[in-house]
Amino acid sequence: MNLQLFVSGISMGFVYGMIAMGMVLIFRSVGVMNFAQGEFLMFGGYLCYTFNQLVGLNIVVSMILACLAMAIVGIIFQRFVYWPLRTAQVRAIIVSMMGASIAFKEGAKLIWGSMPKNADKLMEGTIQTASGAFIQKQYLAIILVAVILMVLVYILLEKTFIGNIMQATAQDQYTASLMGIPVVLSISLTFAISAVITGICGGLLAPIFFINTTMGATAGSKAFAAIVIGGFGSIPGAIIGGLIVGLIESFGGVYISSTYQLVIIYVVLILFLMFRPQGIFGGKIQEKA
């Protein structure tokens, strides 16, 4: 039983961590928290459903195509939601992103309807452990894909020329532009990567939880809690915070109450704000919020 809870908690934690990592990438690039990030998850899930169930493609091919489509969605989002307001006050950009979140949800409802959707599993069946616990292979697939994505993002940011351009833009857009770095392209790429790593989580969750128009808001709020717990602006903190939130949700739902899973997460969040407001990795949340 505990092993089942641990595996499901870790897998969901990686999902929240990936969403949080996408939010941190955008935050480091443009200095604004994207409160529509959860809707990337929802949209990715619906696109995966479309390619898999409506077009009839293999789930792996469907997820690849959904990722490519989400990259385009991320670029469009950057062009029409952030870029026109890039010189405005931060609160104006945040309101714009919140408006985009509503537009995503209503648009999804118009395109796919209000009934929950489903998609095929990346890995079918279950594994029975020596202790008698049954673990869905799909949870293991989530962990595997999340680890691969994290490694790829790390290599991109730390080991490639494109990653150096993205990090230079994140540190100082004006100075980067003076050095000849294409700032617009760098920011667009950041939004595209953020949308892809979040959208693929929607496709991974589709076989376990039905896709609906509210799933993004719930997952996004948990990802934001993961960012605060891990430390604002820290990519490792986003992942660790996501894992903590996932484990709290999994074990708290069983040993305390499944009705108050979100409440338990927020209680932990409040405790961090009271006793360690900078988060685990020490970012100064007071200057970022």
Side-chain angles (χ1 to χ4, degrees):
M1 179 64 171
N2 286 340
L3 182 58
Q4 280 180 274
L5 294 176
F6 180 78
V7 172
S8 63
I10 288 293
S11 61
M12 291 306 300
F14 271 122
V15 169
Y16 302 142
M18 297 303 288
I19 301 171
M21 185 168 73
M23 296 174 78
V24 168
L25 284 174
I26 291 177
F27 177 78
R28 289 174 59 174
S29 178
V30 301
V32 178
M33 190 61 64
N34 180 20
F35 288 102
Q37 192 75 27
E39 271 54 62
F40 288 162
L41 173 90
M42 173 201 68
F43 227 69
Y46 274 121
L47 287 171
C48 188
Y49 156 79
T50 300
F51 291 122
N52 179 229
Q53 299 294 320
L54 300 184
V55 180
L57 299 175
N58 175 274
I59 185 61
V60 176
V61 176
S62 299
M63 292 188 70
I64 293 172
L65 291 176
C67 286
L68 295 175
M70 284 307 301
I72 297 172
V73 170
I75 293 171
I76 294 173
F77 181 90
Q78 180 269 342
R79 179 64 184 85
F80 292 100
V81 178
Y82 164 74
W83 193 251
L85 298 171
R86 63 191 182 281
T87 59
Q89 292 184 349
V90 172
R91 69 189 68 178
I93 302 175
I94 292 175
V95 170
S96 175
M97 289 181 171
M98 288 181 172
S101 173
I102 297 171
F104 268 121
K105 283 185 281 192
E106 295 304 316
K109 192 178 294 185
L110 287 173
I111 297 171
W112 290 285
S114 56
M115 293 296 293
K117 309 297 182 184
N118 204 349
D120 293 340
K121 291 182 178 181
L122 198 60
M123 294 176 65
E124 294 283 351
T126 59
I127 297 174
Q128 184 175 7
T129 65
S131 60
F134 289 91
I135 299 171
Q136 288 191 48
K137 290 183 180 180
Q138 182 68 13
Y139 283 125
L140 301 179
I142 292 173
I143 295 172
L144 178 62
V145 172
V147 170
I148 292 172
L149 282 174
M150 285 189 295
V151 171
L152 291 176
V153 170
Y154 171 79
I155 293 173
L156 175 67
L157 293 178
E158 302 294 337
K159 305 296 183 180
T160 66
F161 179 69
I162 294 175
N164 292 334
I165 289 176
M166 292 173 63
Q167 293 198 61
T169 304
Q171 290 176 10
D172 192 322
Q173 291 186 25
Y174 179 69
T175 303
S177 65
L178 292 178
M179 296 173 64
I181 292 175
V183 172
V184 179
L185 180 62
S186 177
I187 294 175
S188 297
L189 183 59
T190 301
F191 273 83
I193 293 171
S194 175
V196 167
I197 62 178
T198 302
I200 197 171
C201 292
L204 291 169
L205 288 180
I208 301 175
F209 307 102
F210 286 106
I211 308 165
N212 57 72
T213 56
T214 61
M215 66 183 296
T218 304
S221 64
K222 294 173 183 176
F224 183 75
I227 291 173
V228 176
I229 292 171
F232 262 78
S234 171
I235 291 178
I239 301 299
I240 298 300
L243 293 174
I244 291 173
V245 169
L247 290 171
I248 290 171
E249 180 183 54
S250 182
F251 283 91
V254 172
Y255 290 107
I256 300 177
S257 173
S258 59
T259 306
Y260 299 107
Q261 283 178 324
L262 197 56
V263 175
I264 298 167
I265 292 170
Y266 284 140
V267 167
V268 175
L269 172 62
I270 291 170
L271 291 174
F272 264 89
L273 290 173
M274 290 173 60
F275 299 107
R276 191 173 176 80
Q278 72 271 31
I280 295 173
F281 283 79
K284 294 182 179 179
I285 190 173
Q286 300 96 318
E287 298 178 5
K288 308 286 187 179

